[in-house]
Amino acid sequence: MRVLVVTAVPAERDAVTRAFGGDPEVREVPGARLHRAGPFDVLAGGAGPAAAAAATAFALAAAPASEPYALVVSAGIGGGFAPAAPVGSLVVATGIVAADLGAETPDGFVPVTGLGFGRDAFLPPEALVRDVAAATGAVPGPVLTVSTVTGSAARTAELLAAHPGAVAEAMEGFGVAEAAAGLGVPALELRAVSNTVGPRDRAAWRIGDALAALTEAFGKTAPVVESWTHHDRHDRHRD
């Protein structure tokens, strides 16, 4: 069983496949172009939760019955909350959280679950999160999915007040997890930190360093997910 990795942009996709050297095999499926490297099929699905969800759903639906996906990983770079996740570090999500899906009210923000419908978080498999963190040195914690990148101290404080312990924000994780859940596939989110969440300072971003960290992380993650998917498959067969 293989693992689907969904990034936002080609630079992130290529950072993942670079961990395995050579030129990846490229496979065209309806709605997606997959780059196969190691145990991973990697696609650049677009920025934001809607594009990520659509690309993930297309790729999962196109998988042949003889080779289904055992896991979906939302991956790329993102902003880290100081001091938990400094620039250049890695984070792995203990929860994939839709931080701005809901409604503004006179009393403040109400998440979609508070409105009585939908869900606002997915929990990746605990054992897998633990093993990936141990293998890569990634900081475990909630990773927030936002449709608008945070650019002020006030908004940073709001997010941390609403989601204590959050380690990072990005724009695709919840969309990927939503699509994966619809087809009964577990999801994971792994990010390299390119900038600190807070007042926007584009000159301080370290995108190249974060992409290099992402490459190194996936080299270390491959044997972990291969072992996990092997055991998960056997557990499902016993059930």
Side-chain angles (χ1 to χ4, degrees):
M1 300 179 79
R2 296 190 60 79
V3 175
L4 177 66
V5 179
V6 183
T7 72
V9 298
E12 294 168 320
R13 177 199 65 206
D14 295 344
V16 174
T17 61
R18 199 155 41 239
F20 305 93
D23 295 325
E25 174 192 348
V26 178
R27 298 173 58 235
E28 299 279 355
V29 300
R33 174 179 289 180
L34 303 174
H35 289 222
R36 177 163 286 196
F40 304 116
D41 287 349
V42 192
L43 68 88
T56 302
F58 274 122
L60 289 174
S66 60
E67 198 175 37
Y69 289 112
L71 176 70
V72 181
V73 182
S74 177
I77 63 176
F81 288 100
V87 173
S89 65
L90 299 166
V91 298
V92 60
T94 57
I96 302 172
V97 182
D100 55 8
L101 182 62
E104 289 290 346
T105 76
D107 297 320
F109 178 77
V110 177
V112 67
T113 51
L115 300 175
F117 56 90
R119 63 186 300 175
D120 62 359
F122 292 93
L123 301 179
E126 289 185 15
L128 180 59
V129 171
R130 182 183 64 245
D131 291 348
V132 168
T136 63
V139 178
V143 175
L144 310 183
T145 299
V146 296
S147 294
T148 302
V149 173
T150 299
S152 70
R155 179 57 176 159
T156 302
E158 289 176 2
L159 288 174
L160 288 175
H163 306 283
V167 294
E169 71 169 21
M171 299 181 73
E172 293 79 34
F174 188 81
V176 171
E178 186 80 81
L183 289 172
V185 182
L188 182 75
E189 185 166 10
L190 180 61
R191 297 273 169 186
V193 176
S194 60
N195 59 283
T196 298
V197 178
R200 188 172 176 83
D201 180 8
R202 191 66 173 76
W205 290 21
R206 298 291 180 265
I207 292 177
D209 292 343
L211 291 173
L214 192 65
T215 299
E216 183 177 357
F218 268 86
K220 295 176 179 177
T221 298
V224 174
V225 297
E226 286 184 301
S227 175
W228 184 84
T229 56
H230 173 78
H231 287 103
D232 182 64
R233 181 174 69 250
H234 283 279
D235 290 345
R236 291 182 186 183
H237 286 167
R238 283 200 298 270
D239 292 343

